[in-house]
Amino acid sequence: MRPLDEQETTAVFEKLHKFVGSNLKHLIERPAVEGATAGSAPLRYCFRLHKNRVFYASEALVKKATNISREKLVGVGTCIGKFTKSGKFHLLASSLDLLASHAKSKIWLKPSSEMSFLYGNHVLKSGLARITDNVQQNQGVVIFSMADIPLGFGVAAKSTQECRKLDPTAIAAYHQSDVGEYLRMEDDL
């Protein structure tokens, strides 16, 4: 397990910025509760790379993980994504909690279209219940149920203004990841 180099950090931050925007600062500067002692400086969260996977963990947890050999270490903290063999960074479904709590652009689905999204299909205009204002085309969005349960994330196919005029069968957001992947891709996660 090692810190991200400059190129890897840029790739991770660009992908996260697509979903959380300026809230990326809050994600990075978030104080860690774990390992903090009275009178000491608060510990922070950091990003670490292990076996092409990027983990988001508190500095205290990372220090404790150094006692485990690299071969036996499976992971530490939350796995937010992985680097492909070509060097591109992909966010995983396990990063959904972080994205949902800091997301700027959100889409809420009607109950009738939740299952379709969880099976890996794109979000259609007919399944769109609400969308935040000022969503731009190709901007990262976090997709919620009407009960504010995060279901997944994707990319807006159209802006908020264009979504209002769309045909009911047109795609409003492209699917990237959802919580149904825990069942569909059980061996890969």
Side-chain angles (χ1 to χ4, degrees):
M1 184 171 42
R2 65 172 177 80
L4 301 174
D5 64 25
E6 195 170 323
Q7 185 179 6
E8 293 165 342
T9 303
T10 302
V12 171
F13 284 178
E14 282 176 356
K15 186 66 83 163
L16 287 173
H17 187 270
K18 188 174 187 177
F19 289 92
V20 299
S22 60
N23 289 341
L24 181 60
K25 180 179 74 172
H26 300 297
L27 191 68
I28 297 167
E29 296 176 355
R30 182 176 146 201
V33 178
E34 181 179 280
T37 57
S40 67
L43 297 173
R44 301 267 181 223
Y45 281 85
C46 58
F47 295 95
R48 292 290 185 258
L49 183 72
H50 182 65
K51 297 181 181 175
N52 284 340
R53 295 189 182 274
V54 177
F55 292 90
Y56 179 72
S58 68
E59 291 173 348
L61 189 59
V62 170
K63 282 183 184 177
K64 291 176 185 175
T66 57
N67 296 330
I68 302 169
S69 67
R70 289 186 183 197
E71 297 81 32
K72 293 184 179 180
L73 184 66
V74 177
V76 57
T78 303
C79 180
I80 62 163
K82 66 179 182 177
F83 282 98
T84 62
K85 291 181 181 178
S86 63
K88 294 181 181 177
F89 180 70
H90 289 274
L91 288 170
L92 297 176
S94 52
S95 66
L96 183 59
D97 287 337
L98 287 173
L99 295 178
S101 61
H102 295 91
K104 289 190 103 168
S105 302
K106 301 176 183 179
I107 289 178
W108 288 266
L109 296 181
K110 293 178 181 174
S112 59
S113 65
E114 287 177 15
M115 287 307 292
S116 174
F117 179 73
L118 292 176
Y119 286 138
N121 298 319
H122 300 306
V123 177
L124 301 179
K125 165 67 164 96
S126 61
L128 200 66
R130 288 188 345 217
I131 186 170
T132 54
D133 291 334
N134 301 324
V135 173
Q136 302 300 316
Q137 187 173 3
N138 299 324
Q139 184 177 357
V141 292
V142 178
I143 297 162
F144 291 86
S145 68
M146 286 304 290
D148 278 335
I149 298 170
L151 300 175
F153 54 88
V155 176
K158 304 288 182 185
S159 67
T160 303
Q161 303 305 325
E162 292 171 331
C163 278
R164 293 189 177 121
K165 302 170 189 168
L166 274 179
D167 182 53
T169 59
I171 296 174
Y174 297 114
H175 175 276
Q176 278 193 344
S177 185
D178 63 79
V179 293
E181 284 182 10
Y182 287 117
L183 298 174
R184 292 193 312 269
M185 303 172 77
E186 195 172 355
D187 296 333
D188 295 337
L189 294 175

